[in-house]
Amino acid sequence: MLKRCRIPADLGVLTLAMRDRGITAIYSNAFRGAHNLRDLDLSHNQINELSPSVFHTSELLRHLDLSHNNISVIEGTFPRHLRTVVLRGNRIARLSSGVFCSGHLRNLFLDDNGMRE
């Protein structure tokens, strides 16, 4: 489980790739302090449920890749500042209205999920 991802602000990290790390869950404060982060890759893990609010503190985050996990439930809303969200290859059957309430979202990938609603 990803409890905390400490990234010192003075490093100015813009991209973080955590692909294929065996992550099964993300705690609510995991990315607190990741203020400069723009691209986050959490693909090819085993994340089951997702609360998009964990990404709200990363205000510069524009691209989020959660593809090829085991996500079946998304509770909450994604941050308004995201431009690309990749959720392909999960187990999402339906999404609640308002999950993507962003005027900035340009690219949304939901293919290969078996969505019904």
Side-chain angles (χ1 to χ4, degrees):
M1 289 186 212
L2 184 60
K3 294 181 180 179
R4 182 112 192 190
C5 186
R6 294 183 186 185
I7 303 172
D10 58 333
L11 290 180
V13 174
L14 301 176
T15 301
L16 183 61
M18 299 183 78
R19 178 186 174 114
D20 200 18
R21 299 289 177 187
I23 299 168
T24 57
I26 303 171
Y27 278 73
S28 61
N29 294 322
F31 294 100
R32 181 174 285 168
H35 300 293
N36 296 319
L37 195 59
R38 292 180 189 211
D39 297 294
L40 178 58
D41 183 352
L42 289 164
S43 65
H44 295 273
N45 283 288
Q46 289 93 40
I47 300 168
N48 293 312
E49 294 183 13
L50 179 66
S51 175
S53 64
V54 302
F55 307 110
H56 282 274
T57 58
S58 301
E59 290 140 10
L60 295 178
L61 187 63
R62 297 297 181 258
H63 182 269
L64 177 61
D65 189 345
L66 291 159
S67 61
H68 303 287
N69 278 280
N70 293 319
I71 300 169
S72 59
V73 175
I74 297 176
E75 296 189 17
T77 60
F78 280 89
R80 297 182 60 80
H81 49 268
L82 284 171
R83 293 191 178 195
T84 301
V85 177
V86 184
L87 289 165
R88 65 172 43 113
N90 281 283
R91 298 181 305 127
I92 303 166
R94 76 175 195 84
L95 288 171
S96 301
S97 63
V99 170
F100 300 103
C101 59
S102 169
H104 299 286
L105 190 63
R106 298 291 180 255
N107 304 296
L108 175 61
F109 300 94
L110 290 168
D111 50 304
D112 196 23
N113 270 288
M115 295 200 60
R116 289 173 267 167
E117 290 184 45

